[in-house]
Structures are given as structure tokens and as C-alpha cells.
Amino acid sequence: MASSAAYFAFSVLVALHLCCCHGQAADAAGSSSSDVTAIYSLGDSITDTGNLIKEAPPGMFETIKHLPYGITFGYPTGRCSDGLLMIDFLAQDLGLPFLNPYLGKNKSFDHGVNFAVAGATAMDPTDQFNGRFFAPFSSNSLNVQLRWFKDFMKSTFSTDEGNSPDQFRSFTCASVTIFTRAIFVSADIRKRLQSSLVLIGEIGGNDYNYALFGKNVSEVEKLIPGVEVLEMGANRVIIPGNFPIGCMPTYLTSKRSSEPSDYDATGCLRELNRFAAKHNARLRRAIADELRPSYPAAAVAYADHFGSFLAILGAAGELGFDAGSARWACCGAGGGEYNYDPRRMCGAEGAAACAEPEKYVSWDGVHMTQAAYRAMSRLVYHGRYLQPQILNLAEAP
């Protein structure tokens, strides 16, 4: 999910090097949520709290700079929703203030930083599939955000890289071996990260989106094993999977089928959901088989966005949503079955927001409403959709 955009690159999140030194990692798996004093977030529009609008050229992304975006919050903030996002509810639940965007001026970063940028991809746009796909929205890929993260940590906390010669470490995932330069960080940085939570994503959905619009699933599936290496000195990390994209109004409209068998019991497109599920299975397997055994002192959790989203659709009425509009976009001008038209998206002339966003799961056909993000946050961060449950927050009813 994330802006209307590109092919996914599952392994960007997979090869996450959690700790530079195994023995110095805290026993994060058994720690309390009260131990978290800061959140560092990388991702795309599911997490961006204002970076894109800070860097977008004049005239671009004007819609998210103005109402109805932010209408439930009270004013537009650069979030791709009517109000708050999952990252905001997570910060609240941890007793922390909302994360300020990294590109914001004169902002406090005492309790973490949000590096996420709407439209960002897991793979660098210049490297994506030998130029076969174009990522039009943002050049701030995961690699760029990681560079921001490292620059921020070095400038904020003392570093002691010294004159150590380059050292390289290898990591194998999906039959691909990656060599990455080891990062030497100071004790201050390690201490900070051991009391922090690092959220990597959701990111990569845009890679899939850009490719899927105009390409069929079987062709894109061949591109899955692209691998990006992350080396971060963190010991408490959450890596989300992809959403069931076959349930999103944008895909339900663009990939609409006349064959009833192409849809599942929830009204979602089977093939697209199988595609997302395949990505998630490989991501989970890589976390379980590669990351956790290699870094047993670190807590690495998989956030099941796929399962939690389907749980919301399955219990939409019980959760306060209008079950009949569970796959409708609240804000749009498309009318029809899903109220989504890519030529007149939310905020464009002729588009309008629904009167009760809290009754809808989808905000603009691509992103979710504040109410849906709140429900997702409760299911994931407080419940069984965070695997293992490393936050120890009170379980949601």
C-alpha cells in the first residue's frame, strides 16, 4: 500500500543487521514497553508524518497539503489520511509524543525521528529493475532514509569510528549473499538504540504498485528476490509485512474482473492477495531462519499487516465500521462500487470526503482512515499480530 505506486522488493526489509556487536545487545525480547524512550521510523506513506510535503516540488502533492486530508485531526499535517496513523497511536501507547518528520525545521527529536517519506520505495529508483519501472513520487528510498538515520545518530550522539580498516560481513537470504561494510558506532549510540524501537516500514509496497500497474502478476513475481542490506545498531526492531493489496479500492478498480471466481469471500482479488501473501511468507521465513538465529540477543518482531487488515474487514461492523462500505474509499469522486477514480483522487476537483470517515476503512482508495489505523494499531501492537509480542502493551479487547 502506500502511495499509488510500484514493485515491492521484499528483501529490502529482510537483510536487517540488527547489532554491530552481539554480546553488547540488551535482552530486548523480555523488556517492557516502558523501556522504550524513542522511536526511529523508516517507511512510506503508511508512516510519513510530513516529510514528503517538505521536499515535494511546488505544485506536486498539493492535495495532501490541504483539507480534506487531516480533516479528523483538524488540519492537514502531511499525513496521507484524514487523521492519525499507526505510528502516532504507537507513540501514544508508549507514552511518547508524536514523531516529528526528519525534514521538519526547528523540531524536537528528543524522543525519536520519523524518516519515512510517502511514495518511497525499498529499492533505489535508479536501480529498479534495470529501468523497466518508473517510480515517479519520491527519490527517498530506504537507502536514503538509512543514510539520514546514520547521519542523524552521528551528529546527535558522539561517534568513535577511529581509523579502523574496512570490515565486511556477509548475510545470505533467498540464496543471495550480500556483503556489507560494518559500521563502528560509539557507546553513546548503542546506549540510545538499546532503549529505542526501530520500525522498518511498511515500505516496499510502492515498488510493487509501480510495477503492477501495467504489468501482470506473473511477470512481476520474477522480480521478488531483489535484496537490500540494512546495517543498523538496533536491538528492538519491528518489520511489517505487506497489506492484502487485493482488498484496496485502487486495485479493486484498476484490476476489476468480470469473473466471480477471481474474488474471495471478503470481496478481495485472490491473485493479488496471493502475491502479497507470498512476499510475506518469504519475509517471515527470512526473519525466522536468518535474523533471529544470527542475533539471538535482539528482539525482531514481524508485524502482520496482512492478517490484521483482513481481521478488520471480517469484523467491520463489530468494530464500528459500515460493513457495506468496507472496501469503499471515503474520499474520492469515482462513485460506482469503490468510489475510486485515479483521475480524480481525494483532494482533486470534483472529489469529496464522506461525512463520517470513522465509518470507513479506506480513506482515499490507497490509504486508511484514522479509525482503521487505530484498529490496526490495537490489533498489531497490543495483540497477536505482532510476532513475537515484544512491546508488552496491554492487550486490546
Side-chain angles (χ1 to χ4, degrees):
M1 206 162 79
S3 328
S4 142
Y7 158 76
F8 198 113
F10 109 91
S11 34
V12 180
L13 308 180
V14 173
L16 177 65
H17 283 240
L18 300 170
C19 303
C20 297
C21 300
H22 293 212
Q24 296 186 12
D27 184 10
S31 62
S32 166
S33 59
S34 61
D35 297 335
V36 177
T37 60
I39 302 174
Y40 297 101
S41 175
L42 296 82
D44 54 21
S45 58
I46 306 304
T47 313
D48 185 3
T49 55
N51 281 315
L52 180 64
I53 63 172
K54 301 295 184 183
E55 68 150 17
M60 293 204 53
F61 302 101
E62 287 298 321
T63 55
I64 66 172
K65 300 178 184 178
H66 306 287
L67 295 173
Y69 281 89
I71 191 170
T72 300
F73 194 83
Y75 55 89
T77 63
R79 292 167 173 81
C80 293
S81 182
D82 62 306
L84 300 178
L85 311 177
M86 288 180 68
I87 187 70
D88 298 311
F89 292 113
L90 175 60
Q92 284 184 332
D93 291 343
L94 292 173
L96 302 175
F98 295 150
L99 294 188
N100 284 316
Y102 175 69
L103 298 179
K105 301 297 183 182
N106 302 317
K107 300 290 186 180
S108 170
F109 298 130
D110 292 344
H111 297 284
V113 187
N114 195 340
F115 301 97
V117 183
T121 54
M123 297 182 71
D124 287 327
T126 55
D127 296 335
Q128 286 192 36
F129 328 116
N130 299 317
R132 283 198 289 155
F133 300 112
F134 173 56
F137 295 132
S138 175
S139 61
N140 292 321
S141 67
L142 189 55
N143 272 341
V144 172
Q145 294 177 36
L146 278 169
R147 186 169 68 246
W148 289 350
F149 171 75
K150 293 171 186 176
D151 290 345
F152 172 82
M153 298 303 290
K154 290 178 182 179
S155 64
T156 306
F157 304 96
S158 63
T159 60
D160 185 21
E161 293 184 308
N163 296 315
S164 302
D166 285 352
Q167 295 184 19
F168 292 87
R169 310 176 68 185
S170 65
F171 185 87
T172 302
C173 179
S175 301
V176 178
T177 300
I178 299 124
F179 293 90
T180 176
R181 183 180 183 274
I183 296 174
F184 298 91
V185 296
S186 69
D188 288 345
I189 292 178
R190 284 201 186 92
K191 182 178 179 180
R192 176 64 166 182
L193 289 174
Q194 287 173 5
S195 63
S196 302
L197 173 68
V198 179
L199 184 65
I200 310 293
E202 188 256 20
I203 192 169
N206 284 322
D207 305 70
Y208 278 157
N209 294 336
Y210 294 130
L212 284 171
F213 282 103
K215 299 290 181 181
N216 61 46
V217 172
S218 59
E219 179 181 350
V220 176
E221 274 190 308
K222 300 174 184 177
L223 305 176
I224 290 178
V227 176
E228 186 68 44
V229 179
L230 310 178
E231 180 150 328
M232 302 172 63
N235 70 340
R236 188 189 282 116
V237 178
I238 294 176
I239 306 176
N242 200 7
F243 286 84
I245 56 177
C247 300
M248 307 302 171
T250 176
Y251 282 113
L252 287 167
T253 299
S254 64
K255 304 294 184 180
R256 190 168 183 171
S257 173
S258 59
E259 291 293 330
S261 61
D262 288 340
Y263 296 86
D264 61 21
T266 60
C268 302
L269 288 163
R270 294 180 186 275
E271 189 177 14
L272 288 175
N273 278 0
R274 279 197 294 264
F275 182 53
K278 181 175 181 178
H279 155 83
N280 291 338
R282 296 182 67 171
L283 176 58
R284 295 176 76 163
R285 188 162 58 247
I287 292 172
D289 296 346
E290 302 289 344
L291 292 183
R292 291 185 185 128
S294 298
Y295 301 94
V300 191
Y302 171 77
D304 185 3
H305 286 180
F306 190 101
S308 54
F309 186 91
L310 290 181
I312 290 175
L313 287 187
E318 299 171 35
L319 293 171
F321 299 104
D322 178 3
S325 302
R327 288 172 301 281
W328 252 58
C330 165
C331 184
E337 193 172 355
Y338 306 109
N339 193 38
Y340 178 81
D341 184 342
R343 297 164 299 181
R344 293 185 299 166
M345 295 180 66
C346 181
E349 185 177 354
C354 63
E356 298 178 291
E358 68 275 11
K359 298 292 185 181
Y360 287 72
V361 173
S362 176
W363 164 243
D364 57 8
V366 181
H367 310 96
M368 297 164 66
T369 60
Q370 171 178 290
Y373 281 132
R374 179 191 290 114
M376 285 276 294
S377 178
R378 299 292 288 178
L379 287 170
V380 173
Y381 301 129
H382 294 257
R384 62 188 178 89
Y385 291 99
L386 186 63
Q387 302 152 355
Q389 179 51 259
I390 64 173
L391 296 179
N392 298 318
L393 295 168
E395 187 167 352

